[in-house]
Amino acid sequence: MERKKRVSAAKNGSRNVIDVRMDAAFFFDRAVESLGRFRYDRAVKYFRRAVEYEPGNPVNHCNLAGVLSEMGDYEESNRLLRHVLDNIDPAMTECHFYMANNFANMENYEQAEEALVRYLENDEGGQYLSESEEMMEFLSLELGRPLKLTSIKAREGLYEHDKARSLLEEGKFAEAVRLLEKLLKQHPDFTAARNNLALAYYYMGQFDKSTATIREVLERDPGNLHALCNLAIFHQHFGNKQQLQELLDTLRKTYPYHADHVFKLATTMGILGEHAKAYRLFKRLLKTGEAGGEPSLYHYAAVAAANIGRYAEAERLWRQAEKLDPGSDIPQFYVGQLELLRSGQSAQPLSYHYHLPFEEQFRVLEKTNQGIPDHLKKDPLVRSSFFWALRHGDTDTKLQVIQAFGLIGDGEVKDALREFILDPAEDDYLKKVAVFVLRYIGTREPLPAVLEGQRLTLEASPYSPKLPRWEAKWQSVMDTALHTMNKRYDMVQQHDLETLWVEYLTRVYPNVPKITKIEGWAAALEYLIAKMHRRAISYHEVAARYNVGVTTVSKNAKWIDEACGLKEKMDAIFPKLP
């Protein structure tokens, strides 16, 4: 229905009559104008009129719902959105996303999760995909568990593939296998997923399956370069010299076109010791600029050059990497390693990974939970990288070095850590982790240290100047938690558990609750540490691991949380959505 309003105006002494069309578009324009002036009350009035003129237009309802949400009337906003879905246009899946935002602002996280999952599993366009991923992270923290999401419609298998890749990076190979196998049943021609399934089998030690899966890729796509490169690396690992040689003959003659294929072949040839071929490919990427001006690419080319004896060229490339990445110590470190190669002190090829050599070894060791092999402990390049990085690396690098020292544990390492905790210029948190590692590798004598600007001597018990005594039951709680968490949490996380326990006892002392069930307190500590480090965990999971009741874990975790203000600290790091 359309109405007209007659308006008089005087112009040059004459009277004109103007017809104003009073329709939905008219009120929409007035509403937008009011929003521009932050007059939300008027915008609501005009959007309501637009709805009256076109009640079957879902956009009008959504506009009104949006303004109501801005004004904090989340319930009315959701009522309108639900009306759109139930009575006007069920295909407007974005309404589920708007409702999820409203529920989140109302702190109704369960319903926010339900609405967000419905949006992601039904929306094909993916208009709010990035915003949804941020909300997923937020809701997961609030709910204390991952969201109940099985798929993302807009990504059609890419979500599951990305999740599987993340699981591989986290060392959760069995979970990755299950997800990839399910994905390939639905999308059998998804070759990237099949390649990653082969890697997952390989990491799990299921070598026959890994090779068979790669061959499945090659049956579907005989020229799949990623599969050929992976198969070559498998042959090297298994010692299949004849098959490796045949495949190498093919790869040596391969000249890929796309930049990502050039990069894959270059890194593979480097791993296989074909440094001359790797050098030519990396130089091609640098010359064409296809891979961008990344300092890591200059590093890869420099390593290949150094490994074929082109030391001057290698140094030039590392100097260029240094210019592109001025805050990094990595190029300068490798320039230093050239002297060892030039003088013949080391014949070991340099690592292609763009970080200090120990880091990749450390990641592998974390996944396998084994000590560092003797040949690596004695290798001059590896050992020098550790000690050099402890002195000159950034905070994250030093933290990784300290953890790696816990896997070596010899006299030289202990001396380096003792010296480190006495350096006033070093970070206090790093020094406390170093103390934890020294205790972990068997140091029992008092340790001189400089903490918070003061020189003091640390005894065997956890450090706390405000805690006058240390009881056996307190130690038992910590020992139980650390023993149960061992090999599932790294040393930094274990150190943080010790710190949290000492902080709690210090804050509540002398009114420490009576500890009757050691396992219940240990379980609560693990739960809180997992949450602090954003690891997926639930009360049921941790209660089962320690053989205690869920209520006990929840109660103890709440006491620790309240005393130490963990929720406030977490909220400061991960603020709520507006």
Side-chain angles (χ1 to χ4, degrees), residues 90-115:
M92 284 198 69
T93 51
E94 59 265 39
C95 290
H96 293 296
F97 175 76
Y98 303 146
M99 292 172 69
N101 268 292
N102 285 336
F103 282 128
N105 283 316
M106 295 162 66
E107 298 188 2
N108 192 335
Y109 303 123
E110 295 284 352
Q111 287 188 273
E113 175 192 32
E114 181 181 346

Side-chain angles (χ1 to χ4, degrees), residues 521-555:
W521 287 95
L525 286 170
E526 179 177 341
Y527 174 84
L528 292 171
I529 290 300
K531 299 293 287 184
M532 287 170 61
H533 286 271
R534 305 178 74 181
R535 293 178 55 152
I537 198 170
S538 67
Y539 284 126
H540 289 279
E541 176 187 347
V542 76
R545 185 175 297 133
Y546 288 83
N547 194 28
V548 293
V550 172
T551 303
T552 300
V553 179
S554 174
K555 177 189 65 176

